């Protein structure tokens, strides 16, 4: 298969993990006889510094003309504590999501048995937890009408019926492919926008009689997720709740560095880690490349390359089993492996197995 892949390394640890993702894709292409081409473009603070725009037109055009985007991370501390900054790196990510129509963000929360001890939760609570959070990505407070001055400010949690319908459709399709259990997470006891979600879901439920649909308030869901993460199979929620709940999900798996995601919509799909740019670690060769490498596996699956993706996942599992791990998940007394070493080990494993 021929695939044209836009590579957006972004900021902080982004470029380091990006290289490992590309390395793994290249070895897959060689092994399975595919033709993957990679073209890099600017995004985030790197793009602000270079051209004054966190998602330059040129980057957008490359993304549009590509089959997939392999995205890493954006964000820079120079902007974080400056509420007066006119442009922010995160706007680049948001612009990309909006312009590519990426309304469905698929975030699998999968635990690895050999890493359950890494979670702050009890092993018996976490073991076997495996669910998917489907986060709406182009609506809600992130994109609704806003106002900001020194005396007052607001964000509007606006959703239209078609926006809710299309994301619920994605969620139901996932539930059908998994254990047929969907939890709709909202705050319908308080928010009008949530009541629309619930109304639409209750109507759509009838189209999927095989799926058991639960409705859960987001405060309750955030508790349930750490009390009983195995309860969940597929969870669907609005943009802001999904942002918060998936960070909480990373605590279930034990490391933020393990969570990949796929953002799908009306144009080119984007594959990106859930974690951010971790600027403090930039250049230190300590960032975990697994979230990026697993995002590459999701990319392969998106194009039906199931054996290829399975081979990536198997290599990731082997690296964990053999304690080829970055410091934050390494076993006590285990050898030191950096970002590059973990990526290279995985690439070599794929080549040889
Ligand atoms: C995420 C991130 C982004 C978000 C930030 C960087 C804008 O936290 O992808 O979860 O809030 O969506
Ligand atoms: Mn987030």
């Amino acid at each position: 298969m021929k695939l044209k892949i836009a590579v957006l390394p972004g900021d902080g640890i982004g470029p380091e993990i990006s290289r490992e993702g590309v390395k793994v894709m290249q070895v897959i292409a060689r092994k399975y006889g595919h033709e993957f081409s990679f073209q890099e473009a600017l995004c985030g603070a790197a793009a602000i510094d270079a051209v004054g725009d966190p998602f330059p037109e040129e980057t957008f055009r490359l993304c549009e003309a590509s089959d997939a985007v392999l995205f890493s991370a954006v964000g820079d501390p120079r902007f974080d504590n400056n509420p007066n900054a006119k442009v922010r790196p995160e706007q680049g990510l948001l612009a990309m999501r909006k312009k590519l129509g990426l309304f469905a963000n698929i975030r699998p929360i999968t635990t690895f048995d050999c890493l359950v001890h890494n979670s702050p939760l009890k092993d018996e609570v976490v073991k076997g937890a495996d669910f998917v959070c489907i986060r709406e990505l182009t609506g809600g407070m992130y994109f609704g009408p806003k106002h900001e001055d020194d005396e007052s400010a607001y964000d509007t949690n606006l959703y239209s019926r078609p926006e809710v319908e299309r994301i619920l459709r994605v969620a139901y399709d996932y539930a059908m492919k998994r254990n047929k259990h969907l939890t709709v997470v909202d705050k319908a006891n308080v928010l009008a926008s949530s009541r629309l979600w619930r109304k639409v879901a209750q109507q759509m439920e009838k189209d999927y009689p095989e799926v058991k649909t639960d409705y859960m308030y987001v405060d309750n869901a955030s508790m349930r997720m750490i009390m009983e993460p195995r309860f969940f199979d597929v969870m669907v929620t609005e943009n802001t709740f999904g942002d918060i709940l998936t960070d909480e999900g990373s605590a279930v798996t034990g490391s933020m560095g393990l969570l990949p995601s796929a953002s799908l919509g009306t144009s080119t799909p984007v594959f990106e880690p859930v974690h951010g740019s971790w600027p403090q670690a930039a250049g230190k060769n300590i960032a975990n490349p697994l979230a990026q490498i697993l995002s590459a596996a999701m990319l392969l699956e998106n194009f039906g390359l199931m054996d290829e993706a399975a081979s990536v996942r198997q290599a990731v599992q082997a690296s964990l089993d053999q304690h080829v791990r970055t410091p934050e998940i390494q076993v006590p007394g285990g050898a030191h492996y950096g970002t590059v070493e973990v990526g290279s080990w995985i690439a070599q494993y794929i080549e040889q197995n």
Side-chain angles (χ1 to χ4, degrees):
M1 183 180 285
K2 248 186 170 170
L3 286 179
K4 187 168 156 40
I5 298 161
V7 178
L8 273 50
D11 310 320
I13 58 168
E16 291 167 66
I17 58 167
S18 175
R19 281 193 282 276
E20 303 315 310
V22 171
K23 194 187 278 177
V24 165
M25 294 283 293
Q26 277 166 335
V27 81
I28 287 290
R30 263 206 308 282
K31 180 168 175 177
Y32 291 88
H34 300 303
E35 213 176 296
F36 298 162
S37 68
F38 302 90
Q39 218 173 325
E40 266 195 32
L42 287 168
C43 184
I48 297 177
D49 291 341
V51 297
D53 179 349
F55 190 60
E57 186 61 26
E58 201 183 323
T59 302
F60 172 52
R61 274 205 297 268
L62 174 70
C63 292
E64 256 196 322
S66 300
D67 297 303
V69 177
L70 192 63
F71 183 93
S72 298
V74 293
D76 187 299
R78 282 180 293 153
F79 301 88
D80 289 342
N81 295 317
N82 177 9
N84 296 320
K86 290 273 179 296
V87 287
R88 306 178 164 278
E90 288 79 3
Q91 286 166 348
L93 178 57
L94 300 182
M96 177 181 76
R97 289 172 180 171
K98 198 65 176 178
K99 285 181 145 180
L100 294 175
L102 303 168
F103 67 87
N105 184 215
I106 317 297
R107 297 189 159 181
I109 315 282
T110 314
T111 48
F112 292 90
D113 280 354
C114 63
L115 286 179
V116 286
H117 63 276
N118 226 72
S119 167
L121 305 177
K122 292 194 186 85
D123 289 10
E124 63 266 28
V125 171
V126 168
K127 201 157 192 267
D130 174 19
F131 61 96
V132 180
C133 179
I134 313 277
R135 170 187 175 193
E136 200 290 328
L137 204 58
T138 52
M141 271 194 278
Y142 276 62
F143 296 97
K146 290 175 190 296
H147 170 78
E148 193 169 359
D149 65 35
D150 288 346
E151 300 310 316
S152 71
Y154 61 76
D155 304 281
T156 315
N157 203 29
L158 177 65
Y159 272 107
S160 68
R161 177 178 280 270
E163 282 179 304
V164 178
E165 268 170 6
R166 66 181 180 179
I167 189 72
L168 285 172
R169 192 75 63 200
V170 172
Y172 270 111
D173 289 344
Y174 260 82
M176 285 299 288
K177 284 188 277 180
R178 291 180 48 106
N179 296 323
K180 301 190 170 64
H181 177 199
L182 179 66
T183 306
V184 181
V185 176
D186 64 25
K187 187 70 187 169
N189 50 346
V190 177
L191 302 177
S193 50
S194 282
R195 284 191 287 275
L196 176 67
W197 273 70
R198 205 171 267 221
K199 212 180 294 173
V200 174
Q202 282 169 346
Q203 287 161 358
M204 203 175 276
E205 216 186 309
K206 301 182 184 73
D207 299 339
Y208 297 89
E210 286 170 65
V211 176
K212 180 180 175 335
T213 308
D214 288 325
Y215 297 88
M216 202 181 278
Y217 297 141
V218 63
D219 46 352
N220 186 224
S222 71
M223 179 181 74
R224 195 77 183 254
M225 211 158 119
I226 49 172
M227 301 283 283
E228 197 195 349
R230 277 191 300 260
F231 171 84
F232 297 102
D233 174 29
V234 178
M235 162 195 290
V236 64
T237 193
E238 61 154 83
N239 203 346
T240 308
F241 296 162
D243 178 46
I244 298 166
L245 290 175
T246 50
D247 263 37
E248 191 186 352
S250 73
V252 174
T253 65
S255 171
M256 195 78 189
L258 297 171
L259 298 193
S261 84
S263 302
L264 315 174
T266 51
S267 176
T268 314
V270 174
F271 301 86
E272 55 169 318
V274 170
H275 64 68
S277 61
W278 197 17
Q280 300 80 0
K284 294 188 179 153
N285 191 35
I286 55 169
N288 194 339
L290 293 189
Q292 181 82 78
I293 291 170
L294 291 167
S295 299
M298 291 185 85
L299 187 161
L300 296 166
E301 280 156 0
N302 184 73
F303 291 96
L305 303 175
M306 298 306 178
D307 291 346
E308 290 82 341
S311 150
V312 174
R313 290 182 188 283
Q314 210 182 347
V316 166
Q317 183 66 55
S319 74
L320 293 172
D321 290 341
Q322 299 187 32
H323 302 161
V324 179
R325 307 176 181 184
T326 44
E328 95 287 4
I329 52 168
Q330 186 53 297
V331 291
H336 177 85
Y337 289 96
T339 314
V340 176
E341 288 76 31
V342 171
S344 298
W345 193 94
I346 288 171
Q348 199 177 16
Y349 185 94
I350 293 171
E351 205 143 33
Q352 294 170 353
N353 287 274

